[in-house]
Amino acid sequence: MPCGPPQGIAVPAGNGPAGSIWTHHPYRATETAIDAGRYVAVRRRTWLVGATGAAGGILGGCAGLRGGSGPAAQTPVIELSFAPYWVNQAPWNPTAVRLVEQFIAGHFRPSHRANIRVKAAGHTGGQAANQITAAIAGTGFVDVFNDCCVDLPTWMDSGLLLPLEALLRRDNVPTSRWSAGRIGGLTLRGHLLGLPVYDGPEVMVYRQDLLDSFGLQYPDPAWNYLQAEALWRSCARQQGSQRVYGASLDNFYVNADYLMHGFGGSTFNAGHTRCTLDQPACIHAGDWLFGLIDAGVISPTRDSVTGLVTGRDVFSVCGGWNIFAEATQLGSKFKWNILPQPRWAVRRAVMVNSDFYAIDARTRNTEAAWQLLRWVAAEPDFTRFSMRTTLIQPALTSLWSEWEAIAQQAAPTLKGKDLQYYREAAVGGFEVPQSFFLYDGAQAASVLGGWWGKVQARQVGVQTAFKQAASQINALERVGQSNPPPSIQQQIRLFHREQAGLRAMFRA
């Protein structure tokens, strides 16, 4: 029988890049490859002997194991960096760092692998460029991190998001734990590239005291967009030097896909490789929206809670990321409440955020990082902790009723507010995920922004702008499809060539 490591001692790979077969020690018992597109996650069992007995273990073959007098096997400590989602205006400070690390030490390590130690990192949201640079360099990146929004297409193009579908299947973790909209928004180029941080669909928050002062009735929660338009027109007015808008909706050119869906259209085709804004349904939606912006009924910007506090807006769309501000800035200072967004011309639709947890594909400890990510995102403990500390809404659909109770207990100013409409949007099947075009998504978003700005400035009409935007974006997508971004392996080789060239320059 060949000599090998004792069964049950599992340690990570060595210091090679993810997907390599490097190890710290020549004894390597098993390797199981999970092929998922651009990465190969390799699970290994490697026997590491103590420093004092390393030479004897190698030279003496299996004597140390069979005789029972050899050195005891030691399990090395795996250190992971983890960036928790800690916004909603909750402060990230030494107290927060201590709370996170203590919670992980007390709840993750005992139930998983006690040799994994986790260090809480700072914010990674909006830091894609820095994180990608560090990952290609092979040092300084965060193993398990969070990000969102316009960084998502940048991460997708980098090839540095570790695909998760094979790991989910292996561990029997069904994607039905999350809403279909959230999972759909993170499934790109055939791979699930992240797990939802939280589910924050947009609802409508409104100032009841302003409606009272205008002599207007509160809307029925079953309202539609025509009833909403009539009410918003009644609210819009000039008060002294301030324009009061009936409503503030979302950042249109980035998140307008939900409105297109509501009118029966879509910004993208199913594969996100073609812009479909030139459809009649989308042009109808644009005409309705920009007509109300031109009339001063809808604010030209997304004001969120700020517009409600200042009285600039009577109604405002607010997502789950706004709940802390709702509790603290609106709080008990105003008479306010929450409604569902109105039913649009064809169907109900709301934008939902794209915030995700992911594993950097260059982590040196793929299996340990996956265990941490699975515990953070697919099991309830860390979500419950986050709900209590930051009022964050759950991504796990099973925790919504708990969130409502926790939020109202933690923030008494939320008592009596119709928080159930957040849950209704999350589990109702009408979420439209914030998403992007498959190739060159960041540039495509820039094209959209340019044309929407021209419409808003009344330089061109909706139909012309939407058709021009679709034409330009489709040209970009065709180029991207024929010239896909380099793989992570190609990027790493390029990085090392550039580093070698720099070293040669300095030596010269």
Side-chain angles (χ1 to χ4, degrees):
M1 181 176 180
C3 178
Q7 294 298 306
I9 298 180
V11 299
N15 291 323
S20 77
I21 56 170
W22 298 359
T23 58
H24 282 303
H25 196 278
Y27 292 121
R28 186 169 61 246
T30 60
E31 295 180 351
T32 303
I34 304 174
D35 193 356
R38 289 183 177 171
Y39 96 107
V40 178
V42 182
R43 299 175 61 207
R44 309 162 182 88
R45 286 184 176 174
T46 305
W47 178 39
L48 298 185
V49 298
T52 58
I58 295 172
L59 297 175
C62 296
L65 291 177
R66 293 172 180 163
S69 58
Q74 295 181 356
T75 303
V77 172
I78 300 170
E79 291 189 352
L80 293 175
S81 53
F82 166 55
Y85 183 89
W86 202 268
V87 288
N88 273 359
Q89 299 184 5
W92 180 251
N93 52 31
T95 299
V97 172
R98 186 174 65 254
L99 284 171
V100 169
E101 291 182 345
Q102 286 178 347
F103 187 83
I104 292 173
H107 294 78
F108 169 66
R109 290 179 63 194
S111 58
H112 290 71
R113 285 171 62 173
N115 64 317
I116 300 174
R117 288 203 173 91
V118 179
K119 180 175 177 58
H123 292 297
T124 52
Q127 299 295 314
N130 294 337
Q131 287 291 311
I132 290 169
T133 300
I136 293 175
T139 183
F141 59 89
V142 179
D143 296 293
V144 179
F145 65 95
N146 73 80
D147 210 335
C148 78
C149 316
V150 293
D151 269 1
L152 181 54
T154 303
W155 276 111
M156 179 177 63
D157 288 342
S158 77
L160 283 165
L161 296 180
L162 191 73
L164 303 174
E165 63 277 359
L167 294 167
L168 288 165
R169 286 195 301 268
R170 186 198 74 186
D171 291 356
N172 297 315
V173 179
T175 56
S176 58
R177 292 185 183 183
W178 303 276
S179 78
R182 290 292 278 113
I183 292 298
L186 296 175
T187 302
L188 302 160
R189 295 180 185 165
H191 296 298
L192 180 59
L193 298 177
L195 294 179
V197 170
Y198 72 102
D199 205 339
E202 289 184 331
V203 296
M204 192 69 71
V205 179
Y206 70 111
R207 288 274 303 272
Q208 293 177 320
D209 56 325
L210 289 179
L211 290 179
D212 291 341
S213 68
F214 299 157
L216 299 171
Q217 297 293 314
Y218 305 158
D220 189 302
W223 60 338
N224 61 43
Y225 81 110
L226 294 176
Q227 293 166 329
E229 176 185 340
L231 181 55
W232 295 342
R233 286 184 181 276
S234 298
C235 292
R237 62 195 66 205
Q238 191 72 28
Q239 286 191 330
S241 60
Q242 176 168 273
R243 178 66 187 178
V244 176
Y245 293 98
S248 167
L249 301 184
D250 209 320
N251 284 336
F252 311 122
Y253 73 93
V254 175
N255 299 330
D257 193 33
Y258 81 97
L259 191 62
M260 303 302 124
H261 276 257
F263 276 73
S266 175
T267 305
F268 321 89
N269 66 340
H272 284 221
T273 57
R274 186 166 60 86
C275 179
T276 54
L277 277 177
D278 52 356
Q279 294 175 333
C282 295
I283 293 171
H284 180 200
D287 285 336
W288 177 82
L289 173 65
F290 284 105
L292 293 179
I293 292 174
D294 286 346
V297 174
I298 289 179
S299 169
T301 60
R302 181 178 71 180
D303 300 327
S304 301
V305 175
T306 301
L308 295 168
V309 171
T310 62
R312 171 184 164 95
D313 306 315
V314 182
F315 292 79
S316 183
V317 291
C318 293
W321 57 92
N322 293 128
I323 194 69
F324 193 93
E326 292 169 29
T328 56
Q329 295 178 30
L330 290 172
S332 58
K333 302 170 188 173
F334 307 98
K335 185 181 178 185
W336 63 280
N337 206 351
I338 300 171
L339 283 166
Q341 288 199 53
R343 179 183 173 88
W344 305 110
V346 173
R347 62 177 64 92
R348 296 190 68 181
V350 300
M351 195 282 285
V352 67
N353 59 304
S354 61
D355 301 68
F356 60 90
Y357 278 125
I359 298 173
D360 194 299
R362 292 226 66 199
T363 182
R364 294 174 175 86
N365 299 290
T366 300
E367 181 63 26
W370 163 243
Q371 288 193 38
L372 176 62
L373 174 61
R374 185 184 64 191
W375 177 77
V376 165
E379 299 173 22
D381 284 356
F382 193 78
T383 296
R384 288 188 175 114
F385 167 77
S386 299
M387 289 193 297
R388 289 185 173 89
T389 49
T390 68
L391 300 183
I392 190 174
Q393 296 171 327
L396 296 169
T397 57
S398 61
L399 297 182
W400 269 103
S401 59
E402 289 186 36
W403 174 78
E404 292 178 43
I406 287 172
Q408 291 177 338
Q409 180 181 15
T413 55
L414 294 177
K415 289 182 177 178
K417 307 305 179 188
D418 289 324
L419 299 177
Q420 73 271 14
Y421 293 126
Y422 277 112
R423 171 173 50 85
E424 178 186 281
V427 302
F430 47 88
E431 287 181 329
V432 178
Q434 180 189 49
S435 195
F436 304 89
F437 289 94
L438 193 61
Y439 301 99
D440 216 345
Q443 188 174 348
S446 178
V447 170
L448 274 182
W451 283 107
W452 284 65
K454 289 179 181 180
V455 176
Q456 192 169 311
R458 302 181 184 178
Q459 295 174 355
V460 295
V462 169
Q463 182 169 331
T464 297
F466 281 22
K467 289 187 174 181
Q468 288 295 319
S471 176
Q472 291 182 18
I473 290 170
N474 290 337
L476 281 175
E477 290 298 293
R478 285 192 294 270
V479 172
Q481 200 163 6
S482 61
N483 297 282
S487 68
I488 179 58
Q489 290 82 4
Q490 291 172 321
Q491 293 182 64
I492 292 168
R493 285 195 295 269
L494 177 61
F495 174 80
H496 286 306
R497 283 200 299 270
E498 291 173 346
Q499 292 295 299
L502 288 172
R503 287 193 295 269
M505 287 172 55
F506 283 110
R507 281 197 300 270

